[in-house]
Amino acid sequence: MSYVSPSLRGNGDRPSYIGLNDDDAAIIKTLGFTPKRYPPETVIFSQGENNDRAFIVESGWGCISHQLEGGQRQIVDFALRGDIILSRSYAGGALETFVAQTELCVLVASTKTLTLAAMKSPHIFSLIVEALGRNGAVVAQHLTNVGRRSALTRTAHLFLELRARMELIGSVTRNSFECPLTQYDLADALGLTPIHVNRMLRELRERKLLEFRQGRVRVLDLPSMTKFAGFETKYIDGAARS
């Protein structure tokens, strides 16, 4: 199995979320990143567990969440192709849970190995810094969604963010992309109930802004939806366009 898929090296003028080049791929192969495949709903690491692993997503969707007492959760981010996943930890324990939303293929190594890769390649180092900065910006936007944006606006904003991230890795066709999230997943990401999410999706459809059917999202009016949500792509694709 290839240690770095072509998807991680981008697609023509659509660079991947990470943008590894051939030299980076050789370094990663030499250092021994291990390819792993997780079935859907597999818990890769849990909140509170010691985790000294770094992951590069090759394909599939993952979910990063904070677990609450009583079984509730707040989804803080989704892991998509090309993302680097490092567990935030306190006193050795992970602060979040990482779960495979779909079948998830990753390259996994210790954080020490990832550090060695960064030391051997200034390009890999800069990509890690960019990825971590982008991840922080995504979490900040999700916090703003829950804290300040209306239910309808935050729903529109999240779908535009997912569209921007999918477009960056060449997975958007005619403003449409595959999305495996359920209304329960969306509720946990948006701080809403599943019933409320259903209403928001219906209203976006009635406003002719977005459709979400059978696991596929279609943005019907990108300029209008972008203006309505106050969405800016800089925190997603700024590094790729620099």
Side-chain angles (χ1 to χ4, degrees), residues 90-108:
Y90 178 76
L95 294 177
E96 294 123 355
T97 294
F98 181 29
V99 177
Q101 188 78 21
T102 64
E103 181 178 81
L104 191 68
C105 296
V106 300
L107 302 171
V108 58

Side-chain angles (χ1 to χ4, degrees), residues 3-55:
Y3 280 80
V4 178
S5 73
S7 65
L8 289 178
R9 292 194 290 271
N11 180 18
D13 60 352
R14 290 178 170 176
S16 78
Y17 212 43
I18 299 302
L20 297 175
N21 58 35
D22 290 339
D23 290 338
D24 301 332
I27 290 172
I28 283 179
K29 183 175 181 179
T30 300
L31 290 174
F33 278 70
T34 304
K36 296 203 70 170
R37 187 186 306 270
Y38 294 98
E41 301 183 7
T42 300
V43 177
I44 299 171
F45 61 76
S46 295
Q47 185 173 312
E49 289 182 355
N50 290 328
N51 177 64
D52 186 35
R53 294 172 295 169
F55 304 85

Side-chain angles (χ1 to χ4, degrees), residues 35-76:
K36 296 203 70 170
R37 187 186 306 270
Y38 294 98
E41 301 183 7
T42 300
V43 177
I44 299 171
F45 61 76
S46 295
Q47 185 173 312
E49 289 182 355
N50 290 328
N51 177 64
D52 186 35
R53 294 172 295 169
F55 304 85
I56 301 176
V57 179
E58 284 203 291
S59 65
W61 286 56
C63 172
I64 301 167
S65 63
H66 186 77
Q67 306 298 120
L68 304 174
E69 292 184 6
Q72 293 181 311
R73 64 175 180 169
Q74 176 65 50
I75 293 176
V76 297

Side-chain angles (χ1 to χ4, degrees), residues 17 57 61-67 73-80 83-86 88 96-101 131-143 145-146 158 161-162 165 181 185 188-190 235-236:
Y17 212 43
V57 179
W61 286 56
C63 172
I64 301 167
S65 63
H66 186 77
Q67 306 298 120
R73 64 175 180 169
Q74 176 65 50
I75 293 176
V76 297
D77 199 5
F78 297 102
L80 305 179
D83 285 355
I84 294 177
I85 307 300
L86 296 169
R88 288 178 279 262
E96 294 123 355
T97 294
F98 181 29
V99 177
Q101 188 78 21
L132 294 178
R134 189 183 292 112
N135 290 346
V138 166
V139 172
Q141 287 292 333
H142 292 182
L143 177 62
N145 271 346
V146 174
L158 177 61
E161 177 184 285
L162 291 173
R165 292 176 66 180
L181 305 179
D185 298 324
D188 289 342
L190 294 168
Y235 73 100
I236 297 296

